[in-house]
């Protein structure tokens, strides 16, 4: 008996006694890994802000519906008190998403920095393309806020978790623009001669979810982005000479600095598979909920009056409108507006082309906007024939783009519209208010370009359209004046996310004087 | 048609094996092995919501979860009577604990392909799937020496060495001592007759606390995007909630003194204790600005001290064969203080409310939980500034302290009277001091739901008469119409103060706008006249917690039905207040979470309930 007890006791102790290895094995989460590679972190970085690239619920419903789509009259909006003060829910979530994206980028930089020099050369293509993508989204955030924490931001991991060293100072908006333009110019030159080894290229083809490993496409994206950034600052005295000469250099040497010239070249995050995490499934509720998809009167009237071939593919008439397109007038009082909304006669964004199109891509930069930017550059250089050609080219590509979007849709709530024929498009381009030759002054010509860009951007590229509207004040839009609140008209910028004021107070205080809704971005000279 | 159903099936097995072995006369060895095993599965169904022609809806999901805990210990005990008065016992042992759990789940993606077909086969897209697992290992060596002198003086010393897998493996073993002593002086000395029992005790010790499972390790998340036009895309990301591989264990150093006494043949009892505990290296996630690269990081955030005094007095004034009356009171008072914070921190922010409208934070040298809000802006002469809308301007650049969340004293009274089979119980609770921010009440005022907002609504309620001129400015008038025939309103308010230029304010506010704006949402950036300093209120109360009357049916009656005890009672809980500082809600309605700083506002909490009941309790 005693023996049995001893054996049992020994067994018990043996069963339960823990070895050193048991502790170390249970320290780390088995679903995580301690080391990553350039390839994996690159894809992690690219996908980390997908829901602000591909249309998704939170961005459209919480962020854009309450702010930009309203300030740009991309949609019809029922007037409300305090309507021109952007809320923290939208600002805070977009800010956090950008800084998480930035943190993933810094991690990629950290992994790359630890490679040998030989490997650094091999993997250079990853770093160039990542920087192009990073700068694209950085410009959008700078355009929303002005100065932001940037060159010192996202360093927590690089600083080994020392948060006292990781509270970043703010960089000036102009300095960020300068740095991005310098770097992008360098990338542009480097890409024109860069070769990628076959071994690296195979992985890059998979991990590059934007351009599927095509160096040519990255060149076009990079140069088109330069064109966009240069145009944004082309009126700022410190940048205007540079903008003119660099744009001229790009246009002059399309072999070395190719641009996105056709819709096939468009830089976009394509939806491949509705079972993957990246889909436009959230666009439906994001745009449609709470009547966020109502058409605005100015845009609808313009499209209707000029028989815009895009009208039927971008919009659809209200359910009770008997086929008539009506937009919501922003200058009506909210009671009259609410009655109109309830009557169901207002046009809405075409559900099958946009909100219910689960294959709707994440639009980064496309051929039509490149044409409009080129047209403006040519206009500035007094090259009117080139400006006209680019303007008309932009309209054609825009029409083509929206019919393409409809063609990839998996929804048929609204029957597919008759395709726009070249004749119809030509008639539109020749019509009185669209015709380039009817614009007598450069101001009128710029207004034509700006109006087309505004229609082309609509709700699809909200941050771009708001920036361009602030830069040019074209097309001229009127807003109801909110007399009962301090902010009476749409703001010139967004406030900083509340968390920055609270948790990075010292650095915030250096920019707090600018943190109001009336400070203009440095390129907003109008 | 909107039917949503979730079923959960759970099985649990608990087993234990204990071995005792008396090795020699004074030496005993005990081992124990136990296991606790849970298996759970769930199925959730959401019915189809619209015809398939209009898109797929509804869903189905299933999950299963397994958890097992294996616990073992071995304990060697040596007991020896050293002499007639002194007994020594020495214990040494080892305990170990392993916990593992595993969960897997799958659910339909994109709705059900066939109406109300509840299976994964009805998924439109590849079903969603998820899994989780964790394992946790802890062990400890413990040693205790205990001396017992004549059964009235006890001294004990303990040492334990903990190891845990939630700490960095290079630094996961920690030793903690503790000692305690107690002395029953009523047994040691001849004490006066009125003292029936008296004991004093003292203790000192250190206890460790560790991060949550996998909380300390910093690692990449890895996942797949599936095929994106080619091979599957495998990616990694760094976390937004950072761990900290260098985290130190949290330690609580505490000493405590206690006194327990009984008087007059145990009719009166008095107990008191004093404690002083210092929590060193408290482990908490520290919120960071997103621009730093993460939303939070696990830190040893600082040192704080809790000191407190607890006292209880109870007595039995009447005790006869049929009547017994017992009553008592207990009070507790705790003071805490932040002694030190981690480098780089001047204060610890627990919550930022409604876009920097108010903050809850702890500062070094102060008790935890100070409420801060923006004060009314004043000019250089200290005069309050009124905005053109007639409302006070809130100073966006300044925050002042308006209260502290910690109560000064809490406690209760109880009273029990039994007469024959009847028992009447009454219980009161009280709390004095400590602020809360019942924001929900003020939002109700802004929406006109409380009487407060009817003030100044018309002439009878004290409203001023005014008309609105062509520029939108409100001008006070005594006429029936404005000079241009403008309509006259009677809900004006004139707040004493100055305009931005320092002259006396004649800006008139409308009372509707006053309540709507002053008690609305948002910090000064969003709503420059909303005054959160008004929201911070002291929460003191004396509450009638419970009243019950019960009757025990005499045994002689119930034994015929084979029952041992049958009790019938009526009761009411959370009945009413004898005193309170916040009128419009229950004082305890601000509880939204288990941590103290989650229990200070009533935004999003449900109203608390008052309960009445009748109860029959029988045992056979």
């Amino acid at each position: 008996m005693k023996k049995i007890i001893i054996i049992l006791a020994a067994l018990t102790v043996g069963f339960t006694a823990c070895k050193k290895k048991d502790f170390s094995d249970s320290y780390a989460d088995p679903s995580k890994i301690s080391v990553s590679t350039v390839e994996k972190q690159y894809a992690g970085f690219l996908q980390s802000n997908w829901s602000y690239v591909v249309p998704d619920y939170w961005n459209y419903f919480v962020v854009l519906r309450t702010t930009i789509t309203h300030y740009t009259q991309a949609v019809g909006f029922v007037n409300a008190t305090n309507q021109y003060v952007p809320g923290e829910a939208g600002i805070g979530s977009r800010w956090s998403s950008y800084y998480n994206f930035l943190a993933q980028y810094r991690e990629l930089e950290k992994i790359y920095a630890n490679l040998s020099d030989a490997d650094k050369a091999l993997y250079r293509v990853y770093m160039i393309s990542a920087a192009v993508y990073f700068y694209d989204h950085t410009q959008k955030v700078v355009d929303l806020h002005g100065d932001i924490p940037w060159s010192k931001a996202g360093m927590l991991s690089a600083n080994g978790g020392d948060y006292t060293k990781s509270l970043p100072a703010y960089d000036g908006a102009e300095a960020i623009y300068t740095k991005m333009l310098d770097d992008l110019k360098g990338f542009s030159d480097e890409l024109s001669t860069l070769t990628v080894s076959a071994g690296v290229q195979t992985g890059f083809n998979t991990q590059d979810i934007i351009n599927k490993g095509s160096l040519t496409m990255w060149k076009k994206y990079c140069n088109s982005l330069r064109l966009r950034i240069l145009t944004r600052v082309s009126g700022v005295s410190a940048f205007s000479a540079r903008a003119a000469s660099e744009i001229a250099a790009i246009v002059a040497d399309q072999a070395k600095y190719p641009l996105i010239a056709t819709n096939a070249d468009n830089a976009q995050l394509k939806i491949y598979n509705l079972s993957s995490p990246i889909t436009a499934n959230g666009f439906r509720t994001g745009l449609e909920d709470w009547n966020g998809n109502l058409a605005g009167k100015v845009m609808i009237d313009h499209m209707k009056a000029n028989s815009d071939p895009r009208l039927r593919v971008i919009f659809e008439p209200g359910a009770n409108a008997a086929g008539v397109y009506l937009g919501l007038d922003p200058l009506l009082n909210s009671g009259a507006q609410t009655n109109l909304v309830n009557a169901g006669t207002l046009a809405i964004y075409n559900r099958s082309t946009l909100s219910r199109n689960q294959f709707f891509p994440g639009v980064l930069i496309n051929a039509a906007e490149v044409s409009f930017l080129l047209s403006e550059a040519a206009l500035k250089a007094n090259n009117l024939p080139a400006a006209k050609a680019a303007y008309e080219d932009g309209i054609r590509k825009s029409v083509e783009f929206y019919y393409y979007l409809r063609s990839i849709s998996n929804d048929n709530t609204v029957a597919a519209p008759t395709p726009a024929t070249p004749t119809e498009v030509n008639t539109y381009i020749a019509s009185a208010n669209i015709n380039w030759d009817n614009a007598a002054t450069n101001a009128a010509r710029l207004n034509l370009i700006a109006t087309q860009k505004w229609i082309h951007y609509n709700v699809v590229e909200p941050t771009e359209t708001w920036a361009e509207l602030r830069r040019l004040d074209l097309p001229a839009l009127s807003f109801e004046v909110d007399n009962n609140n301090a902010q009476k008209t749409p703001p010139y910028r967004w406030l900083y996310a509340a968390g920055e004021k609270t948790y990075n107070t010292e650095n915030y205080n250096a920019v707090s004087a600018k943190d109001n809704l009336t400070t203009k971005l440095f390129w907003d000279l109008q | 048609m909107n039917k949503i159903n979730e079923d959960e099936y759970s099985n649990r097995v608990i087993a234990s094996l204990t071995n005792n072995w008396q090795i020699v006369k004074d030496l005993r060895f005990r081992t124990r092995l136990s296991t606790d095993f849970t298996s759970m599965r769930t199925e959730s169904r959401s019915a189809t919501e619209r015809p398939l022609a209009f898109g797929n809806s509804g869903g189905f999901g299933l999950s299963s979860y397994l958890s097992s805990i294996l616990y073992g210990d071995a304990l060697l005990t040596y007991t020896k009577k050293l002499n007639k008065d002194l007994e020594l016992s020495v214990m040494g042992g080892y305990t170990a604990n392993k916990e593992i759990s595993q969960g897997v789940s799958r659910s339909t993606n994109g709705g059900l392909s066939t109406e109300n077909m509840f299976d994964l086969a009805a998924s439109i897209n590849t079903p969603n799937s998820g899994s989780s697992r964790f394992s946790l290992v802890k062990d400890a060596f413990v040693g205790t020496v205990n001396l017992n002198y004549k059964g009235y003086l006890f001294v004990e010393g303990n040492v334990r060495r903990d190891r845990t897998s939630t700490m960095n493996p290079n630094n996961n073993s920690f030793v903690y001592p503790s000692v305690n002593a107690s002395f029953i002086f009523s047994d040691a000395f001849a004490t006066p007759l009125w003292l029936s029992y008296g004991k004093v005790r003292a203790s000192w010790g250190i206890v460790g606390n560790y991060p949550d499972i996998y909380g300390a390790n910093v690692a990449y998340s890895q996942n797949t995007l599936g095929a994106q036009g080619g091979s599957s895309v495998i990616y990694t990301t760094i976390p937004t909630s950072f761990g900290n591989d260098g985290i130190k264990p949290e330690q609580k150093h505490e000493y405590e003194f206690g006194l327990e006494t009984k008087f007059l043949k145990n009719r009166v009892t008095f107990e008191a204790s004093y404690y002083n505990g210092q929590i060193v290296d408290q482990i908490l996630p520290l919120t960071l600005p997103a621009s730093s690269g993460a939303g939070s990081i696990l830190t040893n955030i600082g040192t704080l001290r809790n000191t407190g005094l607890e006292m209880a007095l109870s007595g039995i004034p009447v005790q006869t064969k049929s009547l017994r009356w017992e009553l008592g009171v207990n009070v507790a008072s705790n003071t805490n203080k932040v002694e030190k914070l981690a480098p780089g921190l001047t204060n610890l922010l627990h919550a930022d409310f409604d876009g920097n409208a108010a903050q809850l934070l702890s500062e070094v040298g102060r008790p935890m939980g100070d409420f801060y809000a923006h004060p009314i802006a004043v000019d250089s002469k200290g005069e309050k500034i009124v905005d053109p809308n007639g409302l006070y301007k809130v100073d966006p650049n300044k925050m002042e302290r308006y209260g502290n969340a910690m109560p000064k004293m809490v406690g209760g009274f109880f009273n029990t009277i039994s007469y024959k089979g009847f028992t009447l119980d009454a219980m009161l609770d009280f709390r004095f001091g400590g602020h809360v921010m019942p924001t929900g009440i003020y939002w109700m005022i802004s929406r006109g739901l409380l009487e407060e907002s009817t003030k100044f609504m018309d002439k009878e309620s004290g409203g001023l008469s005014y008309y609105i001129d062509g520029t939108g400015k409100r001008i006070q008038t005594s006429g029936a119409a404005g000079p241009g025939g403008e309509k006259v309103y009677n809900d004006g308010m004139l707040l004493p103060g100055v305009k931005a230029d320092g002259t006396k304010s004649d800006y008139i506010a409308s009372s509707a706008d006053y309540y709507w704006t002053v008690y609305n949402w948002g910090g000064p950036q969003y709503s420059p006249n909303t005054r959160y300093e008004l929201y911070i209120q002291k929460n003191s109360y004396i509450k009638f917690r419970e009243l019950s009357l019960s009757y025990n049916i005499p045994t002689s009656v119930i034994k015929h039905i084979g029952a041992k005890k049958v009790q019938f009672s009526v009761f009411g809980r959370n009945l009413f207040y004898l005193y309170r500082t916040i009128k419009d809600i229950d004082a305890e309605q601000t509880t939204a979470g288990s941590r103290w700083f989650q229990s200070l506002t009533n935004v999003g909490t449900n109203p608390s309930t008052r309960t009445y009941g009748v109860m029959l309790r029988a045992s056979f």
Side-chain angles (χ1 to χ4, degrees):
Chain A
M1 185 61 197
K2 204 169 233 181
K3 261 187 187 157
I4 294 172
I5 291 174
I6 295 170
I7 289 165
L8 268 175
L11 271 177
T12 311
V13 175
F15 252 134
T16 51
C18 300
K19 291 182 282 291
K20 211 172 165 68
K21 190 170 175 304
D22 295 333
F23 290 96
S24 52
D25 285 352
S26 290
Y27 177 61
D29 186 335
S31 71
K32 297 191 171 182
I33 51 169
S34 56
V35 284
S36 183
T37 60
V38 167
E39 287 96 332
K40 288 197 283 192
Q41 186 59 26
Y42 175 81
F45 156 70
L46 288 184
Q47 64 79 41
S48 61
N49 70 339
W50 75 264
S51 63
Y52 288 84
V53 176
V54 173
D56 197 37
Y57 169 75
W58 193 269
N59 186 27
Y60 271 82
F61 187 75
V62 179
V63 183
L64 297 171
R65 184 184 58 87
T66 58
T67 56
I68 295 176
T69 54
H70 173 198
Y71 308 152
T72 57
Q73 293 189 17
V75 298
F77 191 89
V78 176
N79 290 315
T81 185
N82 225 15
Q83 60 180 328
Y84 301 124
V85 179
E88 166 62 19
I91 292 176
S93 43
R94 201 185 197 292
W95 181 276
S96 309
S97 165
Y98 173 73
Y99 281 98
N100 176 45
F101 169 77
L102 185 148
Q104 304 305 337
Y105 179 72
R106 295 275 179 249
E107 194 65 19
L108 175 63
E109 288 185 321
K110 181 177 147 187
I111 294 170
Y112 181 78
N114 288 329
L115 296 181
S116 68
D117 285 348
D119 280 349
K120 274 183 184 156
L122 278 175
Y123 284 100
R124 180 69 184 150
V125 67
Y126 279 99
M127 299 313 287
I128 294 176
S129 55
V132 170
Y133 194 64
F134 176 52
Y135 289 174
D136 184 0
H137 293 288
T138 297
Q139 190 203 5
K140 291 182 198 302
V141 176
V142 171
D143 289 354
L144 291 172
H145 298 279
D147 304 352
I148 55 167
W150 193 62
S151 56
K152 305 272 192 309
M155 292 300 198
L156 186 69
S157 171
N159 290 338
D162 184 345
Y163 57 88
T164 56
K165 284 190 200 156
S166 309
L167 299 176
Y170 285 64
D171 294 40
E174 293 193 52
I176 297 174
Y177 261 73
T178 307
K179 163 82 173 147
M180 294 199 300
L181 283 171
D182 292 349
D183 284 358
L184 287 169
K185 182 166 189 304
F187 296 151
S188 210
D189 289 327
E190 201 178 338
L191 278 169
S192 67
T193 56
L194 188 75
T195 52
V196 180
S197 78
V200 172
Q201 183 70 49
T202 312
F204 189 54
N205 290 346
T206 303
Q207 299 302 96
D208 167 17
I209 58 175
I210 309 294
N211 285 322
K212 302 314 298 173
S214 163
L215 239 55
T216 313
M217 293 282 270
W218 278 108
K219 281 181 212 168
K220 292 179 175 177
Y221 184 7
C222 176
N223 291 315
S224 303
L225 181 63
R226 289 176 66 202
L227 177 64
R228 175 194 274 174
I229 300 176
L230 289 165
T231 307
R232 187 75 33 86
V233 295
S234 58
V236 180
S237 56
F239 289 92
S240 58
R242 171 179 194 167
S245 68
E246 285 193 24
I247 291 175
I250 292 169
V251 173
D253 195 351
Q254 277 294 288
K256 190 176 177 189
Y257 304 122
L259 287 162
I260 292 170
T262 67
N263 277 314
D265 293 343
N266 290 347
Q268 56 186 19
L269 183 52
K270 209 172 147 191
I271 311 299
Y272 288 97
N273 176 358
L274 295 183
S275 294
S276 96
I278 301 177
T279 71
N281 298 357
F283 199 7
R284 176 175 177 161
T285 46
L287 189 66
E288 293 181 17
D289 282 6
W290 292 19
N291 300 306
N293 60 348
L294 294 173
K297 182 171 165 46
V298 180
M299 193 181 284
I300 283 288
D301 286 355
H302 184 276
M303 293 177 91
K304 231 170 31 172
N306 302 300
S307 305
D308 196 318
R310 289 165 295 191
L311 179 61
R312 60 182 183 268
V313 70
I314 300 180
F315 291 99
E316 59 174 297
N320 304 327
V324 181
Y325 290 88
L326 287 176
L328 182 62
D329 186 347
L331 300 177
L332 288 178
N333 68 49
S334 61
Q337 288 182 319
T338 307
N339 290 340
L340 274 173
V341 173
N342 293 340
T345 51
L346 295 172
I348 57 174
Y349 273 93
N350 191 303
R351 288 170 290 174
S352 292
T353 308
L354 289 106
S355 49
R356 297 188 185 183
N357 179 357
Q358 296 180 322
F359 286 95
F360 201 101
V363 175
L364 296 165
I365 184 162
N366 56 38
E369 60 182 305
V370 168
S371 295
F372 294 131
L373 295 170
L374 287 174
S375 177
E376 183 181 333
L379 184 68
K380 275 214 178 76
N382 271 317
N383 184 349
L384 291 185
K388 177 186 176 179
Y391 166 74
E392 295 182 350
D393 190 41
I395 296 175
R396 290 199 174 86
K397 284 170 185 160
S398 174
V399 175
E400 187 185 87
F401 179 64
Y402 281 96
Y403 281 91
Y404 154 77
L405 288 176
R406 179 64 185 86
S407 74
I408 58 168
S409 178
N410 60 337
D411 182 83
N412 270 315
T413 310
V414 186
T418 340
T421 61
T423 323
E424 187 188 0
V425 180
N426 287 336
T427 312
Y428 173 69
I429 290 173
S431 67
N433 294 321
I434 309 300
N435 196 327
W436 179 269
D437 297 326
N438 291 350
T441 61
N442 274 4
R445 292 179 191 114
L446 190 59
N447 189 36
L448 284 181
I449 302 169
T451 306
Q452 283 302 327
K453 208 161 32 181
W454 176 64
I455 294 172
H456 176 70
Y457 283 149
N458 60 67
V459 291
V460 174
E461 290 184 71
T463 48
E464 288 311 312
T465 193
W466 191 38
E468 288 295 85
L469 267 175
R470 283 178 289 162
R471 178 173 72 93
L472 298 171
D473 285 351
L474 294 172
L477 300 171
S478 308
F479 290 86
E480 199 210 37
V481 178
D482 185 4
N483 273 320
N484 292 322
N485 286 287
Q487 186 62 30
K488 301 187 188 315
T489 48
Y492 294 130
R493 62 181 286 279
W494 277 4
L495 301 170
Y496 291 117
E500 296 298 316
K501 184 177 182 172
T502 311
Y503 300 106
N504 188 12
T505 315
E506 206 169 299
N507 291 308
Y508 170 83
N509 286 343
V511 295
S512 62
K514 298 183 192 172
D515 192 22
N516 51 54
L517 298 173
T518 49
T519 300
K520 290 184 168 186
L521 264 291
F522 72 97
W523 42 252
D524 186 358
L525 305 167
Q526 302 281 336
Chain B
M1 274 303 279
N2 291 330
K3 285 186 286 186
I4 293 174
N5 199 28
E6 176 142 344
D7 293 315
E8 187 181 301
Y9 308 89
S10 185
N11 289 304
R12 188 167 173 186
V13 180
I14 299 173
S16 173
L17 177 71
T18 308
N19 247 309
N20 281 305
W21 178 24
Q22 195 78 38
I23 302 171
V24 293
K25 185 170 160 272
D26 295 324
L27 193 63
R28 238 158 65 92
F29 187 56
R30 189 196 76 186
T31 60
R32 191 161 55 181
L33 185 65
S34 67
T35 170
D36 178 347
F37 176 83
T38 305
S39 152
M40 187 172 84
R41 68 188 173 89
T42 63
E43 275 190 19
S44 60
R45 298 150 189 247
S46 307
T48 303
E49 290 162 2
R50 53 178 178 262
L52 294 178
F54 295 101
N56 301 90
S57 58
F60 173 77
L62 50 82
S63 72
S64 67
Y65 175 80
L66 287 177
S67 142
S68 106
I69 300 171
L70 183 67
Y71 171 84
D73 65 21
L75 196 63
L76 193 65
T77 314
Y78 175 74
T79 316
K80 179 82 185 169
K81 231 170 159 50
L82 298 177
N83 59 40
K84 171 163 87 49
D85 296 329
L86 194 62
E87 188 181 81
L88 167 78
S89 62
V90 180
M91 280 175 281
Y94 174 76
T95 71
N97 199 51
K98 286 183 196 175
E99 276 181 61
I100 53 165
S101 86
Q102 191 185 74
V104 287
S105 64
R106 296 194 84 198
S107 62
T108 56
N109 178 1
L112 298 174
S113 61
T114 303
E115 244 178 66
N116 294 329
M117 176 181 174
F118 296 113
D119 193 85
L120 290 169
S123 183
I124 295 289
N125 302 316
T126 310
N128 301 313
S129 65
S131 64
S132 68
R133 60 188 175 129
F134 76 77
S135 78
L136 173 68
V137 183
K138 286 188 291 196
D139 76 351
F141 286 102
V142 286
T144 302
V145 180
N146 189 315
L147 279 169
N148 170 355
Y149 180 72
K150 282 187 169 177
Y152 58 74
L153 181 65
F154 302 88
V155 181
E156 187 178 279
N158 294 292
V159 180
R160 64 181 283 141
R161 193 204 71 169
D162 279 3
R163 284 192 299 178
T164 170
S165 66
T166 64
M167 290 291 295
N168 192 324
N170 299 325
N171 180 27
N172 67 354
S173 130
F174 310 96
V175 178
Y176 302 108
S178 71
V179 288
N180 63 69
S182 59
F183 176 44
I184 304 171
F185 57 86
S186 56
D187 289 358
F189 311 118
T191 48
L193 209 55
W194 48 267
L195 180 69
S196 358
Y197 179 79
K199 174 179 162 182
V200 285
R201 60 188 159 77
S203 65
W204 173 86
I206 303 177
V207 189
N209 195 11
Y210 309 102
D212 290 340
I213 194 159
Y214 305 143
N217 188 222
V218 181
Y220 296 95
S221 295
Q222 172 164 313
N223 222 320
T224 175
L225 294 174
Q228 298 285 333
S231 312
S232 281
V233 180
I234 310 301
Y235 70 92
T236 56
T237 48
I238 54 164
T240 54
S241 307
F242 246 66
N244 183 344
D245 288 303
I247 199 92
K248 292 178 280 187
E250 175 180 316
Q251 294 188 351
K252 185 178 179 183
H253 301 243
E254 185 170 66
Y255 59 89
E256 184 177 345
F257 300 102
L259 171 73
E260 287 170 40
T261 48
K262 290 180 182 173
F263 306 95
L264 306 173
K265 295 182 183 164
N266 298 339
R267 289 280 281 269
V268 177
T269 306
F270 176 74
E271 287 175 19
S273 63
Y274 168 82
Y275 59 86
N276 188 326
Q278 187 189 34
I279 299 172
V280 182
D281 290 330
Q282 190 179 24
I283 296 174
L284 273 181
L286 172 69
T287 307
L288 295 176
S291 58
S292 66
S296 68
I297 185 166
L298 199 69
T299 38
N300 292 111
I301 213 151
T303 301
L304 47 117
R305 186 180 293 277
N306 275 301
T307 50
L309 190 61
E310 290 171 4
M311 282 185 284
L313 178 67
S314 64
I316 308 167
V318 182
Q319 185 162 29
T320 67
K321 206 175 159 209
S322 54
L323 180 67
R324 183 187 152 91
W325 177 27
E326 188 178 357
L327 80 173
V329 55
N330 60 72
V331 291
S333 163
N334 178 64
T335 318
N336 64 23
K337 196 169 130 183
V338 181
E339 295 193 330
K340 205 175 94 187
L341 285 173
L345 289 180
T346 50
N347 61 53
L348 173 59
L349 190 70
H350 305 287
D352 182 272
F353 299 100
D354 304 340
N356 194 237
Q359 292 186 337
L360 180 69
L361 50 84
S362 296
E363 286 173 295
V364 174
R366 293 263 321 149
M368 294 185 81
D370 283 331
F371 274 110
Y372 275 76
H374 296 275
I376 293 172
V378 292
D379 68 3
S380 55
K381 291 177 197 142
E383 303 267 9
K384 292 174 180 173
I385 298 173
V386 182
D387 273 343
N389 57 8
L391 308 176
Y392 285 127
K393 177 188 166 71
V394 165
D395 191 338
N397 301 317
K398 215 158 87 183
M399 290 193 106
E400 286 179 2
R401 189 168 69 227
Y402 286 95
N404 182 279
M406 298 297 153
K408 298 266 182 291
M409 186 186 282
V410 295
F413 302 101
F414 73 93
N415 211 327
T416 305
I417 301 171
S418 348
Y419 177 70
K420 295 195 170 156
F422 291 95
T423 305
L424 180 70
D425 267 312
M427 266 166 67
L428 271 75
D429 278 1
F430 59 83
R431 160 184 157 134
F432 293 104
H435 288 73
V436 294
M437 197 171 78
T439 311
I441 297 181
Y442 298 97
W443 289 348
M444 286 172 78
I445 294 176
S446 89
R447 271 71 181 168
L449 296 171
L450 297 183
E451 207 177 321
E452 171 80 19
S453 62
T454 63
K455 288 180 186 164
F456 311 104
M457 64 188 258
D458 50 23
K459 268 186 187 164
E460 292 69 33
S461 325
L464 302 175
S465 301
Y466 64 90
Y467 67 92
I468 299 172
D469 74 3
T471 63
K473 194 171 183 305
R474 301 187 183 101
I475 315 268
Q476 199 171 345
T477 180
S478 51
E486 295 93 344
K487 185 174 174 193
V488 168
Y489 301 88
N490 299 311
D491 67 340
M493 295 166 71
L494 184 61
L495 306 183
V498 296
K499 297 182 183 179
D501 62 6
T503 59
K504 192 167 183 297
S505 165
D506 60 353
Y507 293 136
I508 295 186
S510 98
S511 88
D513 187 36
Y514 177 87
Y515 289 107
W516 168 257
T517 306
V518 170
Y519 295 111
N520 217 316
W521 182 96
Q525 269 179 318
Y526 303 99
S527 191
N529 305 108
T530 294
R531 290 171 55 196
Y532 271 64
E533 94 273 15
L534 299 173
Y535 295 19
I536 297 158
Q537 296 292 340
K538 188 173 274 187
N539 189 18
S540 300
Y541 61 84
I542 305 173
K543 172 187 257 196
F544 212 101
R545 168 80 52 195
E546 184 169 343
L547 185 66
S548 79
L549 180 67
S550 59
Y551 177 62
N552 279 319
I553 300 172
T555 332
S556 55
V557 178
I558 55 170
K559 70 179 179 200
H560 302 296
I561 56 166
K564 272 197 218 137
K565 184 179 174 180
V566 176
Q567 188 188 51
F568 181 78
S569 59
V570 289
F571 64 88
R573 295 192 186 121
N574 198 10
L575 289 173
F576 54 88
Y577 286 89
L578 298 173
Y579 167 78
R580 60 173 163 171
T581 49
I582 296 175
K583 305 294 178 198
D584 294 303
I585 52 164
D586 185 87
E588 289 163 306
Q589 203 198 306
T590 55
T591 304
S594 56
R595 302 205 145 154
W596 64 268
F597 52 81
Q598 296 163 334
S599 298
L600 300 169
T601 144
N602 70 332
V603 173
T605 61
N606 288 319
S608 27
T609 52
R610 177 180 298 149
T611 325
Y612 304 98
V614 182
M615 191 160 68
L616 182 69
R617 199 184 275 162
S619 51
F620 298 93

